[in-house]
Amino acid sequence: MDTTTTKQRYHITTFGCQMNKADSERMAGIIENMGFEWSEDPNNADLIVYNTCTIRDSAEQKVYSYLGKQAKRKHREPHLTLVIAGCLAQQEGEALLRRVPELDLVMGPQHANRLEDLLQQVYNGNQVVATESAHIAEDITTPRRDSTVTAWVNVIYGCNERCTYCVVPNVRGIEQSRTPEAIRAEIERLAKMGYKEITLLGQNIDAYGRDLPGTTPEGRHQHTLTDLLYFIHDVPGIERLRFATSHPRYFTERLIKACAELPKVCEHFHIPFQSGDNEILKLMSRGYTHQKYRRIIDTIRRYVPDATISGDAIAAFPGETEEQFNNTLKLMTDIVFDHTNTAAYSPRPGTPAALWDNQLSEEVKSDRLQQLNHLVSIQAEMRNQRYLHRVEEVLVEDQNPKTPTQVMGRTRGNRLTFFRGDINELKGKLVQVKITEARAFSLTGESVEVRQVLAV
Ligand code: SAH
Ligand code: SF4
Ligand code: F3S
C-alpha cells in the first residue's frame, strides 16, 4: 500500500450511455471535492461507484459480475465503501441489498448530484437507498471531465415516452429541462476552461423545453431545442455544437433549418428509427411511421446534403415476422446510414413487451442481429468512401493509443479520424486533414493546415 499519501482513493466504472457518463463525471467531481483521489484500479480504491445500465439484460449481468467480486473483497477489507448508482440501481432499489448485502449505497440517476449528502449518511453508519423520484438540482460541483476538449452538457433529463420495450422512463423519471440560462452559463464556463466542442444531451433531446413555462404568440413552446441552439450558439471559444439523441416524433423542419444556418452546429444527426415496419413501430408505441422517418431524412438531405446520419435499430421485437424484419433492412438500404447502433430485443422487467407471449427465439435474434450488423458495416464503409481525397476539419482530442505518432479526433460529421502529429502541439486544435484512407468505422489522413484558435 502507498504510505506517502493519506488521501482516500475512489474508482468509478461506468456502464451504459452518454447520460450515465455525464453523471459519472459529476459524481467524480463531488467525490474529489470531498478529498478523494482517483484510482484507476478498483482493487486499490476505498470507495467504488458502479454507475449502471439496465437497457438490456447483458448490461445488467455485467454489473452483477463486477459487483460480486468487490462484495467478496469487502469481507477481507471491511473499510471498502460500495456504491451502486444509475439505472439498474433505480430499477432494483432495495432488492439489490438483498442480493448484495455488502452494498452501502443504492442510488438512482436522479440523485447523482446529492452524492455527498448520501455518502455522509453512509459514513455515519447507515445503509442507504435513494431511489425516490426527485427534482434534479442544478449542478453544484464542477464535474471531473474525462476530456479537456469536448464536453457533455445535460439539457433535459428523463423521458416521457412509453416505448413498450424500454426501461428508461421507469429508471430516469419524467422529463426535466434545465433552463436556457443555466445551460448557457455552463457552456460559458466550459469555454473559459478551453473546451472547444459541446454535446447537448438528452434521451429525447428534441423534446427539450416542453416542461418549461412559456408559449409564443403562435402557440408553440417558447423553449424548444431550436430556440436553445440559437440562444447558445455564439458562446465565444466554442467551435462546435452537437446534440443527441433525437426522437423522430419531435424532429422539426425548423430544427433542421437551424442546423443548416448555424455554423457551429455540426452536420451529424443521430435519430433512432428502431424498425422500418409500421406494424412493429405501432407495437413499440413509437408514434411515427417509416414514411415520416423517411421524410425527416429527406428534409435533412435537402438542407444539409452532406450530413452524416445515424440511427438505432432493434432486431427481433416480439412477434416480428421475417417480412417485417425485411422492412427494417429495406429502410436501411434506402437511406444508407453512416452508422447504426443495433441490438437484439431484450425483454426488460416492468415493460409491457416483456410480458407478451410471442417472444422470438435466441436463434432468430442472433440471426437477425447478424444480418443488421453486416448491413451496418457495408453502409458505413460505403458512406465513408465519400471522404477519400477530401479535406475535412478534425478537432484533435487525443493521441492514437495504438499508434502514438498519430493523433485522433472527429470530423464535423463525427467520423473518427487519425493522422500523423504531435498531441502536445495539436490537442484541442482544429486541423484541416486530407483523407487518404477510408474504412467502415474510421478514417486516416494527412494534416494540411492547423487553424489557430484564439483563447478566450
Ligand atoms: N431515447 C432514444 C433511445 C434511448 S435507449 C430513442 O428513443 O430513440 C438507446 C437504444 O437502446 C434505443 O434506441 C434502442 O435501440 C435500444 N434499446 C432500448 N431498449 C431495448 C431493449 N429492450 N432491447 C434491445 N434494445 C433496446
Ligand atoms: Fe426509451 Fe422510447 Fe424513451 Fe427512447 S423514447 S428512452 S426508447 S422510452
Ligand atoms: Fe442504460 Fe440508463 Fe442509459 S439504462 S442506456 S444508462 S439511460
Side-chain angles (χ1 to χ4, degrees):
M1 206 176 126
D2 183 2
T3 48
T4 56
T5 168
T6 51
K7 273 200 170 182
Q8 299 254 83
R9 281 175 294 212
Y10 80 101
H11 175 89
I12 302 185
T13 300
T14 311
F15 305 83
C17 65
Q18 292 169 322
M19 239 73 58
N20 255 14
K21 290 180 185 141
D23 290 348
S24 285
E25 291 186 345
R26 285 206 307 281
M27 290 194 286
I30 293 172
I31 296 172
E32 291 199 358
N33 252 14
M34 293 173 71
F36 285 77
E37 68 183 25
W38 172 254
S39 164
E40 189 61 38
D41 181 358
N43 295 313
N44 289 330
D46 308 284
L47 164 66
I48 298 179
V49 180
Y50 287 122
N51 193 12
T52 61
C53 172
T54 177
I55 199 83
R56 287 180 281 277
D57 189 54
S58 51
E60 184 173 331
Q61 295 316 322
K62 208 161 141 192
V63 174
Y64 285 125
S65 97
Y66 280 48
L67 198 55
K69 201 166 153 244
Q70 292 302 330
K72 268 201 198 123
R73 185 184 144 209
K74 192 164 171 165
H75 290 271
R76 298 190 305 271
E77 300 173 49
H79 75 281
L80 172 64
T81 304
L82 272 182
V83 178
I84 181 157
C87 296
L88 179 63
Q90 182 67 41
Q91 178 185 283
E92 297 298 316
E94 291 221 358
L96 273 169
L97 296 184
R98 282 188 281 277
R99 186 166 176 159
V100 188
E102 292 83 355
L103 278 168
D104 295 289
L105 168 59
V106 176
M107 55 185 282
Q110 296 187 340
H111 296 267
N113 294 358
R114 291 184 53 219
L115 179 60
E116 177 164 8
D117 172 40
L118 297 170
L119 280 174
Q120 282 313 339
Q121 295 180 36
V122 169
Y123 293 132
N124 289 342
N126 301 302
Q127 200 178 27
V128 182
V129 177
T131 51
E132 68 280 15
S133 67
H135 173 73
I136 298 173
E138 262 308 319
D139 299 357
I140 22 174
T141 349
T142 317
R144 174 196 188 267
R145 299 187 189 259
D146 277 347
S147 166
T148 53
V149 179
T150 64
W152 290 308
V153 171
N154 285 96
V155 305
I156 175 169
Y157 303 101
C159 172
N160 283 10
E161 304 298 307
R162 283 275 156 193
C163 303
T164 51
Y165 52 83
C166 185
V167 289
V168 172
N170 298 349
V171 294
R172 290 256 163 194
I174 56 162
E175 289 170 4
Q176 297 186 40
S177 300
R178 294 175 68 198
T179 64
E181 291 74 21
I183 295 165
R184 184 170 170 120
E186 182 173 358
I187 297 175
E188 285 173 349
R189 277 199 303 278
L190 289 165
K192 291 215 173 79
M193 291 161 74
Y195 285 90
K196 297 288 179 294
E197 180 180 298
I198 300 294
T199 303
L200 307 177
L201 284 187
Q203 271 306 348
N204 291 318
I205 194 157
D206 43 351
Y208 171 78
R210 289 197 292 181
D211 55 322
L212 295 175
T215 41
T216 64
E218 309 87 64
R220 69 166 175 81
H221 284 287
Q222 194 174 346
H223 301 294
T224 63
L225 177 62
T226 311
D227 298 292
L228 181 68
L229 289 175
Y230 281 107
F231 185 66
I232 60 167
H233 87 279
D234 62 345
V235 173
I238 298 299
E239 300 284 338
R240 290 175 166 189
L241 287 171
R242 303 184 185 279
F243 56 89
T245 300
S246 305
H247 192 295
R249 260 181 78 190
Y250 305 103
F251 214 83
T252 60
E253 182 160 353
R254 201 172 150 254
L255 174 58
I256 300 170
K257 267 193 209 160
C259 297
E261 198 177 297
L262 295 171
K264 292 183 187 178
V265 178
C266 292
E267 298 74 20
H268 171 222
F269 298 88
H270 181 68
I271 318 177
F273 51 93
Q274 315 300 4
S275 166
D277 183 85
N278 285 348
E279 276 305 307
I280 293 292
L281 286 169
K282 201 164 180 184
L283 290 166
M284 288 176 163
S285 287
R286 290 288 290 176
Y288 55 85
T289 59
H290 77 87
Q291 289 90 345
K292 154 106 184 190
Y293 188 86
R294 287 166 193 265
R295 276 198 301 276
I296 293 172
I297 306 300
D298 286 347
T299 312
I300 292 175
R301 289 188 166 152
R302 191 147 38 83
Y303 284 100
V304 195
D306 195 41
T308 51
I309 295 181
S310 56
D312 295 356
I314 298 177
F317 186 74
E320 184 188 68
T321 64
E322 198 64 39
E323 197 187 337
Q324 290 170 328
F325 173 65
N326 285 338
N327 284 335
T328 297
L329 294 176
K330 181 156 187 339
L331 177 82
M332 289 177 66
T333 308
D334 291 345
I335 287 179
V336 190
F337 286 89
D338 292 272
H339 186 65
T340 312
N341 301 317
T342 59
Y345 169 74
S346 170
R348 306 310 296 132
T351 61
L355 302 174
W356 300 347
D357 57 10
N358 52 357
Q359 308 288 327
L360 300 181
S361 69
E362 290 307 315
E363 289 72 37
V364 172
K365 284 184 185 176
S366 91
D367 174 60
R368 289 186 188 169
L369 182 59
Q370 247 176 28
Q371 290 188 54
L372 281 187
N373 287 344
H374 184 63
L375 187 56
V376 173
S377 51
I378 290 177
Q379 299 201 326
E381 180 155 7
M382 201 151 97
R383 289 285 289 166
N384 267 356
Q385 292 304 320
R386 78 188 194 281
Y387 296 118
L388 254 189
H389 312 307
R390 252 167 60 172
V391 174
E392 286 286 310
E393 180 198 89
V394 175
L395 174 62
V396 178
E397 292 176 35
D398 249 315
Q399 199 169 45
N400 178 355
K402 289 198 189 128
T403 316
T405 51
Q406 287 185 339
V407 294
M408 62 185 201
R410 288 177 185 273
T411 65
R412 287 178 60 97
N414 209 32
R415 306 316 288 166
L416 184 63
T417 306
F418 304 102
F419 64 95
R420 238 180 107 81
D422 177 0
I423 189 64
N424 297 317
E425 185 193 321
L426 294 175
K427 193 166 194 158
K429 298 257 164 61
L430 290 165
V431 183
Q432 297 297 324
V433 176
K434 183 158 187 188
I435 306 301
T436 52
E437 254 181 81
R439 296 167 297 272
F441 302 108
S442 61
L443 306 170
T444 302
E446 288 159 6
S447 152
V448 177
E449 189 200 338
V450 180
R451 202 178 108 203
Q452 290 310 320
V453 183
L454 295 177
V456 249

